[in-house]
Amino acid sequence: GAVVSQHPSRVICKSGTSVKIECRSLDFQATTMFWYRQFPKQSLMLMATSNEGSKATYEQGVEKDKFLINHASLTLSTLTVTSAHPEDSSFYICSANQGAVETEAFFGQGTRLTVV
Amino acid sequence: GDSVTQMEGPVTLSEEAFLTINCTYTATGYPSLFWYVQYPGEGLQLLLKATKADDKGSNKGFEATYRKETTSFHLEKGSVQVSDSAVYFCALSDQLTGGGNKLTFGTGTQLKVEL
């Protein structure tokens, strides 16, 4: 199957700093990628839809200025957590679909962010 | 809005035991249903799916049937192995409300299989 690579897998940062997470589709082009967040013992919650060459679409309640998404190419989307705080500590995971509607989603390995 | 409810874990079984992980859903439109599996240290992988009522998805000995009347998609396997130890996520995509590719997930159920 197709491969989506997410980097880094773990990151620890100080409160007030920014952290960038990369999501790459290694062997296919993805015009759309999705960013999810998972709190302990809770569902993966969709944060935003990343659209190549245009602005991301954020889900209700997600702060656009806090979670900056850039999808500058067909194989790379980045999520930047700005001015991170301990409550931003979570597991972030991206996915991409290899094609149009209703195709299989391929997921990255996820990033464990800890803000201290 | 759309939602998925699945049984809490962890579920601990002996090897060769029968597995059922319950999943029920609510959706506005006509969803497709999925089971994803996450092995330790890896990303989510599609295990099986069903796109319409009464469809049965199957893979690697796992199966689940799309039951519209009970809004359920329970995951079953007749004989689990230690290598099946992982976290299992039930999910749906709703063409009507989610544009087809957005996924709504359950909380995940951790399965531990012991010798």
PDB file of all heavy atoms in Angstrom, chain B residues 18-54:
ATOM      1  N   PHE B  18     -12.143 -16.453  20.885  1.00  0.00           N
ATOM      2  CA  PHE B  18     -13.003 -15.726  19.960  1.00  0.00           C
ATOM      3  C   PHE B  18     -13.035 -14.252  20.362  1.00  0.00           C
ATOM      4  O   PHE B  18     -13.149 -13.929  21.542  1.00  0.00           O
ATOM      5  CB  PHE B  18     -14.421 -16.302  19.986  1.00  0.00           C
ATOM      6  CG  PHE B  18     -15.342 -15.695  18.977  1.00  0.00           C
ATOM      7  CD1 PHE B  18     -15.400 -16.183  17.687  1.00  0.00           C
ATOM      8  CD2 PHE B  18     -16.167 -14.620  19.314  1.00  0.00           C
ATOM      9  CE1 PHE B  18     -16.245 -15.622  16.743  1.00  0.00           C
ATOM     10  CE2 PHE B  18     -17.023 -14.055  18.387  1.00  0.00           C
ATOM     11  CZ  PHE B  18     -17.061 -14.556  17.095  1.00  0.00           C
ATOM     12  N   LEU B  19     -12.958 -13.393  19.362  1.00  0.00           N
ATOM     13  CA  LEU B  19     -12.933 -11.951  19.613  1.00  0.00           C
ATOM     14  C   LEU B  19     -14.175 -11.277  19.048  1.00  0.00           C
ATOM     15  O   LEU B  19     -14.584 -11.547  17.913  1.00  0.00           O
ATOM     16  CB  LEU B  19     -11.709 -11.312  18.945  1.00  0.00           C
ATOM     17  CG  LEU B  19     -11.692  -9.779  18.882  1.00  0.00           C
ATOM     18  CD1 LEU B  19     -11.459  -9.189  20.282  1.00  0.00           C
ATOM     19  CD2 LEU B  19     -10.641  -9.290  17.913  1.00  0.00           C
ATOM     20  N   THR B  20     -14.764 -10.419  19.861  1.00  0.00           N
ATOM     21  CA  THR B  20     -15.775  -9.482  19.380  1.00  0.00           C
ATOM     22  C   THR B  20     -15.461  -8.114  19.960  1.00  0.00           C
ATOM     23  O   THR B  20     -15.284  -7.990  21.172  1.00  0.00           O
ATOM     24  CB  THR B  20     -17.193  -9.886  19.826  1.00  0.00           C
ATOM     25  OG1 THR B  20     -17.517 -11.164  19.311  1.00  0.00           O
ATOM     26  CG2 THR B  20     -18.216  -8.877  19.308  1.00  0.00           C
ATOM     27  N   ILE B  21     -15.395  -7.117  19.104  1.00  0.00           N
ATOM     28  CA  ILE B  21     -15.295  -5.729  19.548  1.00  0.00           C
ATOM     29  C   ILE B  21     -16.510  -5.010  18.972  1.00  0.00           C
ATOM     30  O   ILE B  21     -16.686  -4.934  17.762  1.00  0.00           O
ATOM     31  CB  ILE B  21     -14.008  -5.037  19.068  1.00  0.00           C
ATOM     32  CG1 ILE B  21     -12.773  -5.772  19.607  1.00  0.00           C
ATOM     33  CG2 ILE B  21     -13.994  -3.584  19.531  1.00  0.00           C
ATOM     34  CD1 ILE B  21     -11.450  -5.181  19.130  1.00  0.00           C
ATOM     35  N   ASN B  22     -17.339  -4.515  19.872  1.00  0.00           N
ATOM     36  CA  ASN B  22     -18.580  -3.881  19.437  1.00  0.00           C
ATOM     37  C   ASN B  22     -18.361  -2.459  18.947  1.00  0.00           C
ATOM     38  O   ASN B  22     -17.545  -1.711  19.486  1.00  0.00           O
ATOM     39  CB  ASN B  22     -19.595  -3.860  20.585  1.00  0.00           C
ATOM     40  CG  ASN B  22     -20.113  -5.239  20.924  1.00  0.00           C
ATOM     41  OD1 ASN B  22     -20.082  -6.142  20.098  1.00  0.00           O
ATOM     42  ND2 ASN B  22     -20.570  -5.418  22.142  1.00  0.00           N
ATOM     43  N   CYS B  23     -19.131  -2.099  17.914  1.00  0.00           N
ATOM     44  CA  CYS B  23     -19.083  -0.749  17.368  1.00  0.00           C
ATOM     45  C   CYS B  23     -20.477  -0.380  16.887  1.00  0.00           C
ATOM     46  O   CYS B  23     -21.093  -1.138  16.143  1.00  0.00           O
ATOM     47  CB  CYS B  23     -18.103  -0.677  16.209  1.00  0.00           C
ATOM     48  SG  CYS B  23     -18.142   0.888  15.299  1.00  0.00           S
ATOM     49  N   THR B  24     -20.961   0.766  17.322  1.00  0.00           N
ATOM     50  CA  THR B  24     -22.219   1.301  16.820  1.00  0.00           C
ATOM     51  C   THR B  24     -21.986   2.722  16.344  1.00  0.00           C
ATOM     52  O   THR B  24     -21.030   3.382  16.755  1.00  0.00           O
ATOM     53  CB  THR B  24     -23.326   1.285  17.884  1.00  0.00           C
ATOM     54  OG1 THR B  24     -22.883   2.040  19.022  1.00  0.00           O
ATOM     55  CG2 THR B  24     -23.668  -0.132  18.312  1.00  0.00           C
ATOM     56  N   TYR B  25     -22.867   3.194  15.488  1.00  0.00           N
ATOM     57  CA  TYR B  25     -22.639   4.508  14.903  1.00  0.00           C
ATOM     58  C   TYR B  25     -23.940   5.290  14.773  1.00  0.00           C
ATOM     59  O   TYR B  25     -25.036   4.722  14.815  1.00  0.00           O
ATOM     60  CB  TYR B  25     -21.998   4.363  13.513  1.00  0.00           C
ATOM     61  CG  TYR B  25     -22.923   3.736  12.485  1.00  0.00           C
ATOM     62  CD1 TYR B  25     -23.759   4.523  11.694  1.00  0.00           C
ATOM     63  CD2 TYR B  25     -22.984   2.351  12.319  1.00  0.00           C
ATOM     64  CE1 TYR B  25     -24.621   3.959  10.780  1.00  0.00           C
ATOM     65  CE2 TYR B  25     -23.849   1.775  11.407  1.00  0.00           C
ATOM     66  CZ  TYR B  25     -24.663   2.580  10.637  1.00  0.00           C
ATOM     67  OH  TYR B  25     -25.525   2.006   9.743  1.00  0.00           O
ATOM     68  N   THR B  26     -23.811   6.591  14.640  1.00  0.00           N
ATOM     69  CA  THR B  26     -24.910   7.452  14.222  1.00  0.00           C
ATOM     70  C   THR B  26     -24.391   8.300  13.068  1.00  0.00           C
ATOM     71  O   THR B  26     -23.248   8.765  13.086  1.00  0.00           O
ATOM     72  CB  THR B  26     -25.396   8.373  15.355  1.00  0.00           C
ATOM     73  OG1 THR B  26     -24.303   9.182  15.801  1.00  0.00           O
ATOM     74  CG2 THR B  26     -25.936   7.586  16.530  1.00  0.00           C
ATOM     75  N   ALA B  27     -25.213   8.450  12.058  1.00  0.00           N
ATOM     76  CA  ALA B  27     -24.798   9.213  10.890  1.00  0.00           C
ATOM     77  C   ALA B  27     -26.018   9.824  10.226  1.00  0.00           C
ATOM     78  O   ALA B  27     -27.101   9.249  10.228  1.00  0.00           O
ATOM     79  CB  ALA B  27     -24.052   8.314   9.907  1.00  0.00           C
ATOM     80  N   THR B  28     -25.775  10.975   9.611  1.00  0.00           N
ATOM     81  CA  THR B  28     -26.874  11.673   8.942  1.00  0.00           C
ATOM     82  C   THR B  28     -27.175  11.052   7.593  1.00  0.00           C
ATOM     83  O   THR B  28     -28.316  10.881   7.211  1.00  0.00           O
ATOM     84  CB  THR B  28     -26.501  13.148   8.748  1.00  0.00           C
ATOM     85  OG1 THR B  28     -26.158  13.701  10.028  1.00  0.00           O
ATOM     86  CG2 THR B  28     -27.666  13.922   8.149  1.00  0.00           C
ATOM     87  N   GLY B  29     -26.138  10.691   6.863  1.00  0.00           N
ATOM     88  CA  GLY B  29     -26.301  10.199   5.511  1.00  0.00           C
ATOM     89  C   GLY B  29     -26.162   8.691   5.430  1.00  0.00           C
ATOM     90  O   GLY B  29     -26.684   7.953   6.263  1.00  0.00           O
ATOM     91  N   TYR B  30     -25.414   8.246   4.433  1.00  0.00           N
ATOM     92  CA  TYR B  30     -25.234   6.825   4.169  1.00  0.00           C
ATOM     93  C   TYR B  30     -23.745   6.510   4.265  1.00  0.00           C
ATOM     94  O   TYR B  30     -23.023   6.549   3.273  1.00  0.00           O
ATOM     95  CB  TYR B  30     -25.782   6.483   2.784  1.00  0.00           C
ATOM     96  CG  TYR B  30     -27.218   6.929   2.623  1.00  0.00           C
ATOM     97  CD1 TYR B  30     -27.528   8.149   2.031  1.00  0.00           C
ATOM     98  CD2 TYR B  30     -28.257   6.141   3.115  1.00  0.00           C
ATOM     99  CE1 TYR B  30     -28.847   8.571   1.921  1.00  0.00           C
ATOM    100  CE2 TYR B  30     -29.572   6.554   2.997  1.00  0.00           C
ATOM    101  CZ  TYR B  30     -29.863   7.767   2.399  1.00  0.00           C
ATOM    102  OH  TYR B  30     -31.158   8.182   2.297  1.00  0.00           O
ATOM    103  N   PRO B  31     -23.306   6.211   5.483  1.00  0.00           N
ATOM    104  CA  PRO B  31     -21.852   6.130   5.688  1.00  0.00           C
ATOM    105  C   PRO B  31     -21.232   4.849   5.160  1.00  0.00           C
ATOM    106  O   PRO B  31     -21.893   3.823   5.010  1.00  0.00           O
ATOM    107  CB  PRO B  31     -21.728   6.178   7.215  1.00  0.00           C
ATOM    108  CG  PRO B  31     -22.991   5.542   7.701  1.00  0.00           C
ATOM    109  CD  PRO B  31     -24.057   5.982   6.728  1.00  0.00           C
ATOM    110  N   SER B  32     -19.944   4.953   4.904  1.00  0.00           N
ATOM    111  CA  SER B  32     -19.109   3.769   4.752  1.00  0.00           C
ATOM    112  C   SER B  32     -18.480   3.506   6.114  1.00  0.00           C
ATOM    113  O   SER B  32     -18.208   4.441   6.870  1.00  0.00           O
ATOM    114  CB  SER B  32     -18.012   4.007   3.703  1.00  0.00           C
ATOM    115  OG  SER B  32     -18.573   4.174   2.424  1.00  0.00           O
ATOM    116  N   LEU B  33     -18.258   2.254   6.427  1.00  0.00           N
ATOM    117  CA  LEU B  33     -17.759   1.871   7.745  1.00  0.00           C
ATOM    118  C   LEU B  33     -16.413   1.168   7.622  1.00  0.00           C
ATOM    119  O   LEU B  33     -16.190   0.410   6.660  1.00  0.00           O
ATOM    120  CB  LEU B  33     -18.766   0.970   8.453  1.00  0.00           C
ATOM    121  CG  LEU B  33     -20.163   1.572   8.628  1.00  0.00           C
ATOM    122  CD1 LEU B  33     -21.113   0.530   9.220  1.00  0.00           C
ATOM    123  CD2 LEU B  33     -20.110   2.803   9.530  1.00  0.00           C
ATOM    124  N   PHE B  34     -15.548   1.416   8.589  1.00  0.00           N
ATOM    125  CA  PHE B  34     -14.182   0.920   8.521  1.00  0.00           C
ATOM    126  C   PHE B  34     -13.732   0.395   9.885  1.00  0.00           C
ATOM    127  O   PHE B  34     -14.197   0.845  10.930  1.00  0.00           O
ATOM    128  CB  PHE B  34     -13.207   2.047   8.144  1.00  0.00           C
ATOM    129  CG  PHE B  34     -13.552   2.790   6.889  1.00  0.00           C
ATOM    130  CD1 PHE B  34     -14.469   3.827   6.899  1.00  0.00           C
ATOM    131  CD2 PHE B  34     -12.939   2.457   5.697  1.00  0.00           C
ATOM    132  CE1 PHE B  34     -14.790   4.524   5.745  1.00  0.00           C
ATOM    133  CE2 PHE B  34     -13.245   3.145   4.531  1.00  0.00           C
ATOM    134  CZ  PHE B  34     -14.169   4.175   4.555  1.00  0.00           C
ATOM    135  N   TRP B  35     -12.822  -0.540   9.832  1.00  0.00           N
ATOM    136  CA  TRP B  35     -12.017  -0.890  10.999  1.00  0.00           C
ATOM    137  C   TRP B  35     -10.557  -0.649  10.636  1.00  0.00           C
ATOM    138  O   TRP B  35     -10.071  -1.142   9.618  1.00  0.00           O
ATOM    139  CB  TRP B  35     -12.206  -2.346  11.416  1.00  0.00           C
ATOM    140  CG  TRP B  35     -13.417  -2.556  12.267  1.00  0.00           C
ATOM    141  CD1 TRP B  35     -14.627  -3.023  11.881  1.00  0.00           C
ATOM    142  CD2 TRP B  35     -13.526  -2.295  13.672  1.00  0.00           C
ATOM    143  NE1 TRP B  35     -15.485  -3.060  12.957  1.00  0.00           N
ATOM    144  CE2 TRP B  35     -14.834  -2.631  14.068  1.00  0.00           C
ATOM    145  CE3 TRP B  35     -12.636  -1.825  14.647  1.00  0.00           C
ATOM    146  CZ2 TRP B  35     -15.282  -2.504  15.385  1.00  0.00           C
ATOM    147  CZ3 TRP B  35     -13.076  -1.708  15.956  1.00  0.00           C
ATOM    148  CH2 TRP B  35     -14.381  -2.038  16.310  1.00  0.00           C
ATOM    149  N   TYR B  36      -9.888   0.143  11.495  1.00  0.00           N
ATOM    150  CA  TYR B  36      -8.459   0.387  11.365  1.00  0.00           C
ATOM    151  C   TYR B  36      -7.749  -0.273  12.530  1.00  0.00           C
ATOM    152  O   TYR B  36      -8.282  -0.392  13.629  1.00  0.00           O
ATOM    153  CB  TYR B  36      -8.153   1.881  11.377  1.00  0.00           C
ATOM    154  CG  TYR B  36      -8.428   2.577  10.068  1.00  0.00           C
ATOM    155  CD1 TYR B  36      -9.702   3.056   9.772  1.00  0.00           C
ATOM    156  CD2 TYR B  36      -7.428   2.743   9.123  1.00  0.00           C
ATOM    157  CE1 TYR B  36      -9.963   3.680   8.562  1.00  0.00           C
ATOM    158  CE2 TYR B  36      -7.675   3.376   7.910  1.00  0.00           C
ATOM    159  CZ  TYR B  36      -8.945   3.830   7.641  1.00  0.00           C
ATOM    160  OH  TYR B  36      -9.193   4.447   6.437  1.00  0.00           O
ATOM    161  N   VAL B  37      -6.504  -0.676  12.297  1.00  0.00           N
ATOM    162  CA  VAL B  37      -5.703  -1.292  13.351  1.00  0.00           C
ATOM    163  C   VAL B  37      -4.390  -0.527  13.475  1.00  0.00           C
ATOM    164  O   VAL B  37      -3.818  -0.082  12.478  1.00  0.00           O
ATOM    165  CB  VAL B  37      -5.446  -2.793  13.058  1.00  0.00           C
ATOM    166  CG1 VAL B  37      -4.739  -3.000  11.730  1.00  0.00           C
ATOM    167  CG2 VAL B  37      -4.643  -3.439  14.187  1.00  0.00           C
ATOM    168  N   GLN B  38      -3.967  -0.350  14.707  1.00  0.00           N
ATOM    169  CA  GLN B  38      -2.696   0.330  14.973  1.00  0.00           C
ATOM    170  C   GLN B  38      -1.819  -0.575  15.818  1.00  0.00           C
ATOM    171  O   GLN B  38      -2.087  -0.788  17.004  1.00  0.00           O
ATOM    172  CB  GLN B  38      -2.934   1.654  15.688  1.00  0.00           C
ATOM    173  CG  GLN B  38      -1.669   2.477  15.900  1.00  0.00           C
ATOM    174  CD  GLN B  38      -1.967   3.831  16.527  1.00  0.00           C
ATOM    175  OE1 GLN B  38      -2.910   3.978  17.285  1.00  0.00           O
ATOM    176  NE2 GLN B  38      -1.158   4.822  16.187  1.00  0.00           N
ATOM    177  N   TYR B  39      -0.777  -1.113  15.202  1.00  0.00           N
ATOM    178  CA  TYR B  39       0.187  -1.931  15.927  1.00  0.00           C
ATOM    179  C   TYR B  39       1.153  -1.016  16.673  1.00  0.00           C
ATOM    180  O   TYR B  39       1.354   0.145  16.276  1.00  0.00           O
ATOM    181  CB  TYR B  39       0.932  -2.862  14.973  1.00  0.00           C
ATOM    182  CG  TYR B  39       0.020  -3.838  14.264  1.00  0.00           C
ATOM    183  CD1 TYR B  39      -0.348  -3.643  12.939  1.00  0.00           C
ATOM    184  CD2 TYR B  39      -0.494  -4.947  14.931  1.00  0.00           C
ATOM    185  CE1 TYR B  39      -1.200  -4.527  12.293  1.00  0.00           C
ATOM    186  CE2 TYR B  39      -1.354  -5.828  14.296  1.00  0.00           C
ATOM    187  CZ  TYR B  39      -1.699  -5.605  12.978  1.00  0.00           C
ATOM    188  OH  TYR B  39      -2.550  -6.475  12.343  1.00  0.00           O
ATOM    189  N   PRO B  40       1.761  -1.501  17.727  1.00  0.00           N
ATOM    190  CA  PRO B  40       2.653  -0.645  18.525  1.00  0.00           C
ATOM    191  C   PRO B  40       3.713   0.048  17.687  1.00  0.00           C
ATOM    192  O   PRO B  40       4.414  -0.587  16.898  1.00  0.00           O
ATOM    193  CB  PRO B  40       3.272  -1.648  19.507  1.00  0.00           C
ATOM    194  CG  PRO B  40       2.260  -2.726  19.633  1.00  0.00           C
ATOM    195  CD  PRO B  40       1.635  -2.855  18.270  1.00  0.00           C
ATOM    196  N   GLY B  41       3.800   1.357  17.840  1.00  0.00           N
ATOM    197  CA  GLY B  41       4.822   2.135  17.153  1.00  0.00           C
ATOM    198  C   GLY B  41       4.548   2.404  15.684  1.00  0.00           C
ATOM    199  O   GLY B  41       5.401   2.959  14.982  1.00  0.00           O
ATOM    200  N   GLU B  42       3.383   2.027  15.211  1.00  0.00           N
ATOM    201  CA  GLU B  42       3.066   2.225  13.791  1.00  0.00           C
ATOM    202  C   GLU B  42       1.833   3.104  13.612  1.00  0.00           C
ATOM    203  O   GLU B  42       1.109   3.395  14.560  1.00  0.00           O
ATOM    204  CB  GLU B  42       2.831   0.873  13.112  1.00  0.00           C
ATOM    205  CG  GLU B  42       4.049  -0.049  13.159  1.00  0.00           C
ATOM    206  CD  GLU B  42       3.801  -1.371  12.428  1.00  0.00           C
ATOM    207  OE1 GLU B  42       2.843  -1.450  11.645  1.00  0.00           O
ATOM    208  OE2 GLU B  42       4.575  -2.310  12.671  1.00  0.00           O
ATOM    209  N   GLY B  43       1.606   3.535  12.372  1.00  0.00           N
ATOM    210  CA  GLY B  43       0.409   4.293  12.059  1.00  0.00           C
ATOM    211  C   GLY B  43      -0.802   3.396  11.882  1.00  0.00           C
ATOM    212  O   GLY B  43      -0.687   2.174  11.910  1.00  0.00           O
ATOM    213  N   LEU B  44      -1.950   4.005  11.717  1.00  0.00           N
ATOM    214  CA  LEU B  44      -3.171   3.234  11.511  1.00  0.00           C
ATOM    215  C   LEU B  44      -3.145   2.580  10.131  1.00  0.00           C
ATOM    216  O   LEU B  44      -2.708   3.174   9.145  1.00  0.00           O
ATOM    217  CB  LEU B  44      -4.412   4.133  11.601  1.00  0.00           C
ATOM    218  CG  LEU B  44      -4.954   4.433  12.982  1.00  0.00           C
ATOM    219  CD1 LEU B  44      -4.046   5.357  13.752  1.00  0.00           C
ATOM    220  CD2 LEU B  44      -6.362   5.015  12.882  1.00  0.00           C
ATOM    221  N   GLN B  45      -3.658   1.351  10.075  1.00  0.00           N
ATOM    222  CA  GLN B  45      -3.768   0.645   8.801  1.00  0.00           C
ATOM    223  C   GLN B  45      -5.206   0.197   8.622  1.00  0.00           C
ATOM    224  O   GLN B  45      -5.839  -0.234   9.584  1.00  0.00           O
ATOM    225  CB  GLN B  45      -2.865  -0.601   8.788  1.00  0.00           C
ATOM    226  CG  GLN B  45      -1.406  -0.342   9.038  1.00  0.00           C
ATOM    227  CD  GLN B  45      -0.635  -1.632   9.219  1.00  0.00           C
ATOM    228  OE1 GLN B  45      -1.038  -2.686   8.697  1.00  0.00           O
ATOM    229  NE2 GLN B  45       0.458  -1.583   9.946  1.00  0.00           N
ATOM    230  N   LEU B  46      -5.688   0.287   7.395  1.00  0.00           N
ATOM    231  CA  LEU B  46      -7.045  -0.192   7.138  1.00  0.00           C
ATOM    232  C   LEU B  46      -7.080  -1.711   7.288  1.00  0.00           C
ATOM    233  O   LEU B  46      -6.301  -2.432   6.669  1.00  0.00           O
ATOM    234  CB  LEU B  46      -7.478   0.200   5.726  1.00  0.00           C
ATOM    235  CG  LEU B  46      -8.867  -0.268   5.313  1.00  0.00           C
ATOM    236  CD1 LEU B  46      -9.938   0.382   6.178  1.00  0.00           C
ATOM    237  CD2 LEU B  46      -9.107   0.032   3.836  1.00  0.00           C
ATOM    238  N   LEU B  47      -8.012  -2.193   8.092  1.00  0.00           N
ATOM    239  CA  LEU B  47      -8.169  -3.635   8.285  1.00  0.00           C
ATOM    240  C   LEU B  47      -9.267  -4.179   7.362  1.00  0.00           C
ATOM    241  O   LEU B  47      -9.063  -5.159   6.661  1.00  0.00           O
ATOM    242  CB  LEU B  47      -8.517  -3.928   9.742  1.00  0.00           C
ATOM    243  CG  LEU B  47      -8.716  -5.394  10.120  1.00  0.00           C
ATOM    244  CD1 LEU B  47      -7.460  -6.200   9.857  1.00  0.00           C
ATOM    245  CD2 LEU B  47      -9.136  -5.514  11.584  1.00  0.00           C
ATOM    246  N   LEU B  48     -10.409  -3.515   7.381  1.00  0.00           N
ATOM    247  CA  LEU B  48     -11.498  -3.913   6.498  1.00  0.00           C
ATOM    248  C   LEU B  48     -12.517  -2.789   6.408  1.00  0.00           C
ATOM    249  O   LEU B  48     -12.496  -1.867   7.209  1.00  0.00           O
ATOM    250  CB  LEU B  48     -12.158  -5.211   6.977  1.00  0.00           C
ATOM    251  CG  LEU B  48     -12.670  -5.279   8.408  1.00  0.00           C
ATOM    252  CD1 LEU B  48     -14.060  -4.696   8.540  1.00  0.00           C
ATOM    253  CD2 LEU B  48     -12.670  -6.717   8.909  1.00  0.00           C
ATOM    254  N   LYS B  49     -13.396  -2.908   5.417  1.00  0.00           N
ATOM    255  CA  LYS B  49     -14.414  -1.877   5.256  1.00  0.00           C
ATOM    256  C   LYS B  49     -15.678  -2.451   4.625  1.00  0.00           C
ATOM    257  O   LYS B  49     -15.651  -3.547   4.046  1.00  0.00           O
ATOM    258  CB  LYS B  49     -13.887  -0.736   4.393  1.00  0.00           C
ATOM    259  CG  LYS B  49     -13.696  -1.080   2.929  1.00  0.00           C
ATOM    260  CD  LYS B  49     -13.268   0.161   2.148  1.00  0.00           C
ATOM    261  CE  LYS B  49     -13.160  -0.158   0.663  1.00  0.00           C
ATOM    262  NZ  LYS B  49     -12.716   1.045  -0.109  1.00  0.00           N
ATOM    263  N   ALA B  50     -16.759  -1.698   4.766  1.00  0.00           N
ATOM    264  CA  ALA B  50     -18.023  -2.043   4.119  1.00  0.00           C
ATOM    265  C   ALA B  50     -18.695  -0.746   3.716  1.00  0.00           C
ATOM    266  O   ALA B  50     -18.712   0.218   4.488  1.00  0.00           O
ATOM    267  CB  ALA B  50     -18.919  -2.847   5.056  1.00  0.00           C
ATOM    268  N   THR B  51     -19.224  -0.699   2.523  1.00  0.00           N
ATOM    269  CA  THR B  51     -19.732   0.566   2.006  1.00  0.00           C
ATOM    270  C   THR B  51     -21.253   0.658   1.970  1.00  0.00           C
ATOM    271  O   THR B  51     -21.788   1.751   1.744  1.00  0.00           O
ATOM    272  CB  THR B  51     -19.183   0.838   0.599  1.00  0.00           C
ATOM    273  OG1 THR B  51     -19.558  -0.258  -0.239  1.00  0.00           O
ATOM    274  CG2 THR B  51     -17.674   0.964   0.627  1.00  0.00           C
ATOM    275  N   LYS B  52     -21.949  -0.463   2.174  1.00  0.00           N
ATOM    276  CA  LYS B  52     -23.411  -0.367   2.194  1.00  0.00           C
ATOM    277  C   LYS B  52     -23.991  -1.458   3.089  1.00  0.00           C
ATOM    278  O   LYS B  52     -23.305  -2.417   3.455  1.00  0.00           O
ATOM    279  CB  LYS B  52     -23.982  -0.478   0.779  1.00  0.00           C
ATOM    280  CG  LYS B  52     -23.690  -1.767   0.052  1.00  0.00           C
ATOM    281  CD  LYS B  52     -24.271  -1.706  -1.355  1.00  0.00           C
ATOM    282  CE  LYS B  52     -24.146  -3.049  -2.066  1.00  0.00           C
ATOM    283  NZ  LYS B  52     -22.763  -3.455  -2.279  1.00  0.00           N
ATOM    284  N   ALA B  53     -25.256  -1.301   3.405  1.00  0.00           N
ATOM    285  CA  ALA B  53     -25.932  -2.213   4.330  1.00  0.00           C
ATOM    286  C   ALA B  53     -25.811  -3.663   3.869  1.00  0.00           C
ATOM    287  O   ALA B  53     -25.906  -3.960   2.682  1.00  0.00           O
ATOM    288  CB  ALA B  53     -27.398  -1.817   4.463  1.00  0.00           C
ATOM    289  N   ASP B  54     -25.568  -4.539   4.835  1.00  0.00           N
ATOM    290  CA  ASP B  54     -25.444  -5.989   4.663  1.00  0.00           C
ATOM    291  C   ASP B  54     -24.123  -6.428   4.034  1.00  0.00           C
ATOM    292  O   ASP B  54     -23.876  -7.624   3.904  1.00  0.00           O
ATOM    293  CB  ASP B  54     -26.613  -6.575   3.864  1.00  0.00           C
ATOM    294  CG  ASP B  54     -27.940  -6.342   4.552  1.00  0.00           C
ATOM    295  OD1 ASP B  54     -27.978  -6.370   5.798  1.00  0.00           O
ATOM    296  OD2 ASP B  54     -28.935  -6.119   3.861  1.00  0.00           O
TER     297      ASP B  54
END
